[in-house]
Amino acid sequence: GLDGKHEFRFFIGEDKGWIKAFLWNHVGRKLDVPTLAAEPVELWVNGQSMGTYILIDGWNPNQNIFTLQNIPPEGDRLTIRSIDAWYNRKDPSQPPRSIPELVRFLTLVSASSDQEFRKAAGTLIDIDAFLRWAAMTTLSGNFHKQSNVDNLNFLLNEETGKIQPYFFDGDLTLLTGSIDVSEHRIINRLLSHEPWRQQYEAILKSYVLNERNLMEDLAFYDGEAKRILPSIYRDTTKIQTSS
């Protein structure tokens, strides 16, 4: 692909929250949580400017990434009963029931006892990666955008043989108090075990209590706003920016 990319996906800014997409790349790099690279671009078609869009990288076709089919959510997907709603981005034609890692993953997440889950979780999923993802999702304000029913993407790391989460299309909402983790079964089960809860809290505290992070993140946000606002104001090709 061009510049090593295999797919180009253009989104209107309102669909991806404008600077939000870039901010999560920035935070993800600091927390070592995988995201899809995003950048603002001006799209030209046949010599005519189509205005400002958000370009987000496509998924790596060489990676085993388990994700949901593009069908309307119909209840809980993080369960073995919903395995047919999943597919592997590397080989979409492969029946999900024939993917042993996916079968074991969904079975462990949804059909194991607490004792079984705590004993086997570390052999199948990258617990540290999930807890760092959980800390980043907490910073986003809620777990509803990436939940049991939507925006789920799990990478099978071929080096470790374990599954880890991608942060994808997360929200950016005001933190007003408690964060509800019941919308994400894996995080709910991990945080119900005190040692893992303490590890998660240590990751989150290390980030939020470091004043440098706040200064860096605000400066990044302000810098991206300053960079993109002129092109937004010039864009009269779309209803949202025209208004």
Side-chain angles (χ1 to χ4, degrees):
L2 187 61
D3 292 332
K5 297 181 180 180
H6 301 270
E7 183 181 10
F8 289 87
R9 302 186 301 162
F10 299 92
F11 298 88
I12 62 172
E14 285 75 13
D15 185 44
K16 297 301 175 185
W18 289 110
I19 299 163
K20 180 179 73 175
F22 320 136
L23 177 66
W24 293 134
N25 289 161
H26 168 78
V27 175
R29 284 190 290 270
K30 294 202 287 185
L31 283 173
D32 194 23
V33 175
T35 62
L36 294 178
E39 60 181 319
V41 296
E42 185 175 1
L43 178 63
W44 290 73
V45 178
N46 296 328
Q48 181 177 353
S49 173
M50 296 290 103
T52 304
Y53 283 80
I54 307 299
L55 172 63
I56 299 181
D57 275 3
W59 298 92
N60 188 332
N62 298 316
Q63 290 182 325
N64 290 296
I65 299 176
F66 306 138
T67 191
L68 294 171
Q69 298 183 45
N70 188 22
I71 54 178
E74 294 180 0
D76 194 341
R77 305 298 185 85
L78 271 178
T79 170
I80 189 63
R81 296 190 302 274
S82 298
I83 191 170
D84 292 325
W86 291 80
Y87 72 98
N88 185 357
R89 289 186 183 273
K90 185 177 181 178
D91 183 8
S93 65
Q94 184 180 12
R97 294 178 181 272
S98 70
I99 307 174
E101 296 87 355
L102 180 60
V103 173
R104 290 199 299 270
F105 174 64
L106 292 176
T107 300
L108 174 68
V109 167
S110 65
S112 65
S113 67
D114 288 344
Q115 184 177 4
E116 291 170 337
F117 179 81
R118 292 166 185 174
K119 182 178 179 180
T123 66
L124 186 58
I125 67 177
D126 187 329
I127 293 174
D128 180 67
F130 268 92
L131 295 178
R132 284 186 277 106
W133 179 93
M136 184 166 161
T137 305
T138 301
L139 293 174
S140 79
N142 66 65
F143 282 74
H144 304 306
K145 287 279 284 183
Q146 302 172 102
S147 66
N148 293 337
V149 300
D150 202 13
N151 286 336
L152 296 173
N153 294 273
F154 300 112
L155 167 68
L156 175 60
N157 188 315
E158 294 185 354
E159 293 184 5
T160 65
K162 298 180 181 181
I163 291 173
Q164 61 191 79
Y166 258 93
F167 186 97
F168 178 67
D169 209 17
D171 216 338
L172 182 58
T173 54
L174 183 66
L175 290 168
T176 57
S178 61
I179 299 291
D180 181 6
V181 300
S182 65
E183 298 282 340
H184 198 292
R185 177 173 294 101
I186 302 172
I187 302 304
N188 188 15
R189 300 199 71 175
L190 287 173
L191 297 188
S192 68
H193 186 44
E194 190 61 26
W196 293 335
R197 181 186 180 92
Q198 291 177 3
Q199 184 180 345
Y200 153 80
E201 290 177 347
I203 295 169
L204 193 56
K205 286 179 180 178
S206 176
Y207 193 93
V208 300
L209 295 181
N210 184 341
E211 192 171 326
R212 180 178 176 183
N213 282 325
L214 177 61
M215 295 174 62
E216 286 178 349
D217 296 349
L218 290 175
F220 176 86
Y221 191 97
D222 290 343
E224 291 299 297
K226 185 176 181 180
R227 180 164 72 108
I228 199 175
L229 277 176
S231 60
I232 293 176
Y233 290 137
R234 287 195 303 266
D235 183 1
T236 59
T237 59
K238 297 186 284 296
I239 294 174
Q240 292 86 352
T241 45
S242 295
S243 65

